[in-house]
Amino acid sequence: IALDMGITSNYLLNVVESREDHPIKYFLEEGIPCTINSDDPLLFGCDILSEYLICRDVLKMEDSTIAKCARYSFEFSCAPEDVKRRGICGVDEWLRK
């Protein structure tokens, strides 16, 4: 089981006091798999890229940690295994650059 995290929606819904206070880094440090998601882009005015940028710029997450979340999004999906493998390879390739 992985936790799907919508940083912006959690903040706008008052789940956290500020985006900086979001617990995603804590959960990952505790070994809890987390994915980065945009929740409802039309309602919250965010998209998946902006959520990843918030993780990097606001939460100061390292690229390796962001990549871990991206890998989890494939590993815990219901996609066919070949799609999962290609996605994870793409994440690993991005991280090497």
Side-chain angles (χ1 to χ4, degrees):
I1 296 174
L3 301 179
D4 296 331
M5 297 288 170
I7 311 301
T8 299
S9 67
N10 288 170
Y11 168 64
L12 293 175
L13 292 170
N14 296 315
V15 175
V16 294
E17 288 187 29
S18 70
R19 294 182 304 176
E20 294 84 359
D21 291 331
H22 198 280
I24 187 171
K25 286 172 53 175
Y26 169 77
F27 291 148
L28 291 165
E29 289 167 1
E30 292 297 314
I32 300 169
C34 298
T35 64
I36 300 166
N37 295 280
S38 58
D39 201 1
D40 189 338
L42 293 176
L43 181 63
F44 298 113
C46 60
D47 57 31
I48 193 68
L49 178 58
S50 67
E51 294 297 286
Y52 273 87
L53 289 173
I54 288 168
C55 287
R56 176 188 270 168
D57 299 338
V58 176
L59 297 177
K60 306 297 185 205
M61 290 171 63
E62 299 287 329
D63 284 350
S64 59
T65 304
I66 292 170
K68 181 188 293 188
C69 291
R71 277 190 215 98
Y72 285 146
S73 70
F74 288 104
E75 290 173 16
F76 287 90
S77 76
C78 295
E81 289 303 317
D82 63 314
V83 172
K84 291 181 183 185
R85 278 192 300 276
R86 285 194 316 263
I88 291 168
C89 285
V91 171
D92 292 341
E93 184 178 325
W94 169 82
L95 188 57
R96 283 191 298 272
K97 292 183 178 183

